[in-house]
């Protein structure tokens, strides 16, 4: 480790502004700027295009030549890929057991020049697809599923991208990795860094993330800095930091993150036997996840793994809605950063980095963008919970958004809909307890609207240790059910 870290430090001082990108003939991933189209061989430490400052993405030039040859090679042959991926589900190999690396033909390769330990995996992915029967009835759609990305090792979708990006950092012998976060990225990064013997630096907004998430990064050994600013302020400081110190950036501007997060969509299509739903609905914060899922859909269409595109819709909280406003007010021509505020702290983001990537996905798939209120988020979370599926507030914007998209007629009753639930209920138990006790909106301007959600609240009942009291409570509940 000592040798590796020293090497990483020296490499940085000698060659300051380069993060190397694994080149490999198997998957032949290359970087491209989403704006000016430049195709650099190396990425800058902030993963921005050195020519125009916009974001980079991976593309796979080898696919085009394969496809021109009618996809005869197994690397892009859809039937061969599907059966290879299925076969890996019975394998005992760590890479095959990962729900991310199982799909490695569609990911950049992480070469192992010296040993076989560069890929850091916690067996992420492999998340369940659940039916939501009660929610479906309430919303008025026949076919409603939730893909629960909160069932990942650190309980959020971030693990699918982190396994790829942290492996890349490890392969390049970085000693430190870092991120700015609203809590889930930091939890995930800290875990993968620990598994890969790297140090991790977390920048989070002081007081604005949930205890569940904070406790994770502490336990996984990160240097956790709570900055007196918001998420966007943490990002600004991190961008400066990576230019000055040999620290590998693990926010979702890192294109390896996006590649890993693509696999949620690939796995979803496999679970649906490659029959795409009509709609996929995702929460929008920094907009990396919608970009990743959209990228996967487009690539699967190109490789003929699916025959049509689902519409990908993005939902934001009303108090953190810069992307909604960009699309609705400015036709996507610009995004005005804002000071964000929402109890769904995971998506409390006012200046989303990946908004142009997300816009492209929205336009290509024909999706919609919606915003939902704080009370709508809380009610939707309790409704998902009542179907026996726990998620965190940011995930529940999907159901709240679906209700609006049903009312506007964008989603029809006979259409198949999949909600992407991004984080687990236990990430933010405070929110849940306050909601059920009726305290969440007490004394706020939302109190009157919140009164309409009383029927969803299940406050704990405190009783004497007396059998008759328990029976009376049971009988009362039965009468009201
Ligand atoms: N849902 C959850 C639970 C999240 O943690 C996040 C983002 C999102 C949705 C939004 O995803 O940013 O890709 O649009 N959390 C980040 C973090 C920003 O730092 O954990 P996005």
């Amino acid at each position: 480790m000592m040798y590796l870290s020293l090497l990483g430090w020296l490499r940085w001082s000698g060659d300051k502004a380069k993060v190397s990108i694994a080149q490999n003939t198997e998957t032949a991933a290359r970087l491209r700027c989403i704006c000016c189209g430049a195709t650099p061989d190396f990425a800058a430490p902030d993963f921005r295009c050195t020519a125009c400052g916009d974001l980079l993405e991976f593309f796979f030039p080898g696919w085009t030549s394969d496809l021109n040859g009618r996809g005869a090679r197994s690397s892009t042959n859809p039937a061969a890929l599907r059966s290879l991926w299925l076969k890996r589900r019975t394998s005992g190999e760590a890479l095959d057991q990962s729900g991310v690396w199982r799909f490695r033909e569609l990911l950049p390769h992480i070469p192992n020049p010296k040993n076989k330990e560069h890929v850091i995996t916690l067996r992420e992915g492999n998340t369940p697809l659940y039916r939501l029967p009660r929610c479906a009835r309430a919303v008025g759609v026949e076919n409603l599923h939730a893909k629960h990305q909160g069932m990942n090792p650190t309980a959020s979708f971030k693990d699918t991208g982190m396994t790829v990006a942290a492996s890349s950092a490890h392969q390049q012998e970085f000693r430190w990795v870092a991120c700015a976060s609203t809590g889930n990225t930091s939890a995930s990064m800290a875990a993968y860094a620990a598994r890969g013997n790297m140090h991790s630096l977390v920048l989070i907004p002081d007081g604005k993330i949930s205890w569940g998430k904070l406790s994770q990064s502490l336990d996984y050994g990160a240097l956790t800095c709570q900055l007196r600013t918001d998420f966007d302020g943490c990002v600004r400081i991190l961008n400066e930091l990576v230019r000055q110190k040999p620290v590998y950036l693990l926010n979702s501007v890192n294109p390896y993150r996006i590649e890993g997060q693509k696999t949620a969509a690939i796995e979803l299509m496999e679970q649906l036997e490659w029959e795409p739903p009509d709609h996929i609905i995702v929460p929008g914060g920094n907009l990396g996840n919608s970009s990743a899922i959209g990228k996967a859909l487009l690539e699967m269409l190109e490789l003929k793994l699916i025959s049509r595109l689902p519409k990908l819709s993005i939902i934001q909280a009303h108090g953190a809605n810069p992307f909604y406003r960009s699309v609705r007010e400015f036709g996507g021509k610009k995004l005005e950063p804002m000071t964000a505020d929402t109890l769904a702290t995971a998506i409390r983001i006012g200046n989303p980095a990946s908004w142009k990537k997300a816009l492209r996905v929205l336009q290509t798939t024909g999706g919609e963008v919606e915003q939902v209120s704080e009370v709508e988020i809380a009610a939707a979370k309790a409704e998902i919970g009542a179907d026996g599926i726990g998620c965190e507030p940011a995930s529940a914007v999907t159901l709240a958004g679906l209700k609006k998209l049903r009312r506007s007629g964008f989603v029809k009753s006979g259409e198949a809909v999949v909600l992407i639930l991004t984080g687990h209920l236990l990430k933010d138990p405070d929110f849940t307890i306050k909601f059920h006790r009726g305290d969440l909106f007490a004394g706020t301007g939302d109190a009157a609207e919140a009164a309409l959600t009383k029927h969803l609240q299940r406050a704990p009942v405190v009783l004497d240790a007396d059998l008759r009291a328990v029976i009376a409570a049971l009988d009362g509940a039965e009468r009201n059910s």
Side-chain angles (χ1 to χ4, degrees):
M1 189 61 215
M2 196 50 211
Y3 166 73
L4 293 188
S5 14
L6 188 62
L7 189 69
W9 200 273
L10 289 175
R11 173 179 294 177
W12 188 269
S13 350
D15 196 359
K16 256 188 173 167
K18 285 181 182 174
V19 173
S20 75
I21 297 301
Q23 301 288 340
N24 176 272
T25 47
E26 269 174 59
T27 51
R30 302 232 29 208
L31 281 179
R32 176 171 59 201
C33 170
I34 61 162
C35 183
C36 72
T39 53
D41 289 331
F42 294 94
D46 62 359
F47 291 100
R48 296 260 168 193
C49 172
T50 46
C52 77
D54 222 314
L55 294 187
L56 303 174
E57 66 178 357
F58 276 111
F59 73 112
F60 300 83
W63 291 356
T64 320
S65 51
D66 267 17
L67 290 170
N68 289 342
R70 290 191 202 79
R73 272 181 27 191
S74 64
S75 58
T76 52
N77 179 297
L81 282 175
R82 284 179 192 153
S83 80
L84 176 66
W85 294 337
L86 263 189
K87 207 166 109 215
R88 285 186 183 145
R89 279 165 57 171
T90 57
S91 156
E93 289 289 318
L95 280 197
D96 295 344
Q97 288 183 354
S98 159
V100 171
W101 295 104
R102 193 157 70 82
F103 301 107
R104 52 191 173 269
E105 284 69 22
L106 305 197
L107 301 177
H109 187 70
I110 308 285
N112 296 329
K114 293 192 197 120
N115 57 52
K116 296 179 87 174
E117 300 302 325
H118 282 318
V119 170
I120 307 165
T121 174
L122 284 163
R123 315 298 187 274
E124 51 290 314
N126 298 316
T127 58
L129 182 67
Y130 297 123
R131 248 180 208 288
L132 294 179
R134 286 186 187 82
C135 294
R137 274 197 300 279
V139 176
V141 289
E142 284 154 30
N143 185 344
L144 178 61
H145 283 90
K147 170 93 175 133
H148 203 336
Q149 293 296 92
M151 304 297 269
N152 266 293
T154 76
S156 87
F157 71 100
K158 305 289 182 179
D159 296 341
T160 56
M162 204 53 76
T163 181
V164 181
S167 298
S168 163
H170 191 238
Q171 192 263 333
Q172 293 175 63
E173 300 173 351
F174 273 89
R175 180 172 162 80
W176 280 90
V177 293
C179 72
S181 181
T182 56
N184 278 327
T185 301
S186 45
S188 180
M189 178 189 75
Y192 282 84
R195 300 294 298 172
N197 277 321
M198 296 180 288
H199 297 283
S200 61
L201 167 68
V202 162
L203 303 185
I204 47 172
D206 185 27
K208 295 290 171 15
I209 78 163
S210 72
W211 291 114
K213 298 171 190 180
L214 177 60
S215 66
Q216 285 180 292
S217 75
L218 301 181
D219 227 32
Y220 302 142
L223 166 58
T224 304
C225 300
Q226 298 183 264
L227 304 188
R228 289 185 204 94
T229 178
D230 55 12
F231 169 81
D232 303 293
C234 293
V235 169
R236 277 193 296 276
I237 292 189
L238 183 64
N239 280 333
E240 282 303 313
L241 179 81
V242 295
R243 285 185 205 114
Q244 295 187 26
K245 287 290 195 183
V247 170
Y248 186 82
L249 181 86
L250 278 175
N251 275 77
S252 58
V253 293
N254 180 324
Y256 282 103
R257 285 267 317 273
I258 302 294
E259 291 304 300
Q261 285 175 211
K262 284 188 331 194
T263 56
I266 307 172
E267 189 176 83
L268 170 64
M269 292 307 144
E270 185 185 62
Q271 286 166 318
L272 294 172
E273 296 180 344
W274 305 100
E275 185 54 50
D278 299 293
H279 297 273
I280 297 178
I281 302 184
V282 291
N286 215 17
L287 297 170
N289 202 33
S290 30
S291 307
I293 289 174
K295 188 171 192 282
L297 294 174
L298 294 170
E299 290 179 357
M300 282 190 282
L301 186 72
E302 184 190 349
L303 293 173
K304 300 195 168 50
L305 285 160
I306 55 174
S307 55
R308 63 187 173 85
L309 284 177
K311 294 186 173 75
L312 192 135
S313 293
I314 301 172
I315 317 297
Q316 295 206 293
H318 188 273
N321 65 352
F323 186 62
Y324 171 87
R325 284 177 31 227
S326 162
V327 175
R328 294 289 179 103
E329 290 172 26
F330 308 118
K333 291 202 169 52
K334 62 169 180 172
L335 180 132
E336 275 186 0
M338 64 185 290
T339 303
D341 200 13
T342 168
L343 293 173
T345 50
I347 51 173
R348 197 171 179 275
I349 294 172
N351 190 12
S354 295
W355 73 275
K356 286 188 194 162
K357 287 185 179 178
L359 181 70
R360 194 175 56 182
V361 163
L362 206 68
Q363 289 169 341
T364 319
T365 68
E368 234 334 344
V369 57
E370 255 307 346
Q371 61 174 352
V372 291
S373 74
E374 297 293 295
V375 175
E376 286 171 328
I377 295 171
K381 195 177 103 57
E383 286 171 312
I384 295 168
D387 251 327
I389 310 295
C391 69
E392 67 167 287
S395 308
V397 302
T398 54
L399 181 67
L402 171 61
K403 290 184 196 172
K404 285 193 136 173
L405 296 174
R406 271 294 288 134
R407 284 201 291 275
S408 72
F410 182 75
V411 174
K412 316 257 178 327
S413 65
E415 290 183 319
V417 183
V418 176
L419 310 179
I420 306 292
L421 301 183
T422 44
H424 198 278
L425 172 90
L426 295 177
K427 285 281 191 173
D428 193 356
D430 239 28
F431 181 104
T432 309
I433 292 168
K434 281 188 184 145
F435 173 78
H436 286 288
R437 286 196 167 138
D439 297 341
L440 193 59
F441 300 106
T444 74
D446 291 326
E449 190 190 345
L452 302 173
T453 64
K454 239 190 153 38
H455 64 289
L456 295 167
Q457 292 168 13
R458 300 280 177 273
V461 188
V462 182
L463 302 172
D464 286 333
D466 173 13
L467 177 63
R468 278 168 309 177
V470 176
I471 289 177
L474 180 67
D475 290 343
E478 173 61 21
R479 275 194 301 278
N480 292 332
S481 69

